Amino acid sequence: ITVLRLLAPARGVAAVSQVRLRLLQDPDAVIAATAWRQLAAEGHAKARTGFEDLLERLGASPPPAACAELVEGLGASIWPDAFAPFLRLCADERAIVQNAAARTFDKLAKDAAFVTWLVREGADSTVPGERRAALQVVSRAAPELVQPLLEKVRLALAHPTPAALETALTFGSQLAKD
């Protein structure tokens, strides 16, 4: 794992990429997840399929360090099929995962497709950790992408629910004029 982390800056080096691809199959979840994150960061063509295979292999509750690696990898390179898994991984309450997620939010807030999906679906999650992560990303997004969610919040505040109040508090500055 130490050597793999030292190789993190290497991008586009065929030999290093081959090692990462082999390490995706490692029985140690952290090694496999770290190798995957590095493939994702370099934009490797097999990163998507590698993620799906790794997620299936690790199951619903990967070890915290592996989960953090997956979150950071998705933060570097997310695609539509990974939107929901990203939120599921971010729902993990362990500090290492929450810190990894926090490091990705600013970059992900610039991804219009992801923010649009979060506004449409992610912010309505009934899982508190997923909802919290969705709101954290959306709260950093461009105002024009957030407008549909703000309109929903304005309507929901007529008969507030705890979720509507939580969203309203997240967007307090945008809703201040209301």
Side-chain angles (χ1 to χ4, degrees):
I1 194 75
T2 302
V3 173
L4 189 56
R5 288 189 176 138
L6 288 172
L7 292 172
R11 303 258 196 295
V13 179
V16 174
S17 296
Q18 289 304 313
V19 168
R20 289 173 178 152
L21 287 168
R22 275 185 257 140
L23 288 175
L24 274 176
Q25 305 309 315
D26 197 276
D28 183 297
V30 178
I31 290 174
T34 302
W36 176 79
R37 179 184 52 79
Q38 291 179 5
L39 287 168
E42 75 175 86
H44 195 280
K46 294 189 179 180
R48 286 184 186 191
T49 57
F51 173 75
E52 292 162 5
D53 294 343
L54 185 58
L55 198 57
E56 185 177 312
R57 201 173 84 217
L58 295 179
S61 183
C67 188
E69 293 287 350
L70 295 172
V71 165
E72 285 205 61
L74 288 172
S77 173
I78 198 159
W79 59 94
D81 290 344
F83 292 171
F86 176 79
L87 284 188
R88 275 195 303 276
L89 292 167
C90 286
D92 188 313
E93 296 292 332
R94 295 173 284 195
I96 190 171
V97 178
Q98 290 304 303
N99 291 337
R103 288 190 294 271
T104 68
F105 291 157
D106 287 331
K107 183 175 188 294
L108 289 171
K110 295 175 183 148
D111 185 319
F114 185 51
V115 172
T116 300
W117 180 84
L118 289 173
V119 165
R120 200 175 57 246
E121 297 179 37
D124 292 333
S125 176
T126 58
V127 178
E130 289 182 10
R131 182 175 166 71
R132 182 189 62 247
L135 291 176
Q136 286 295 316
V137 174
V138 171
S139 70
R140 293 166 166 81
E144 61 273 8
L145 295 174
V146 179
Q147 282 309 314
L149 179 61
L150 294 179
E151 293 306 318
K152 280 187 353 187
V153 171
R154 285 182 179 102
L155 291 173
L157 286 176
H159 302 286
T161 63
L165 291 172
E166 177 189 19
T167 305
L169 289 172
T170 300
F171 294 98
S173 61
Q174 290 97 323
L175 295 169
K177 66 178 183 255
D178 289 84

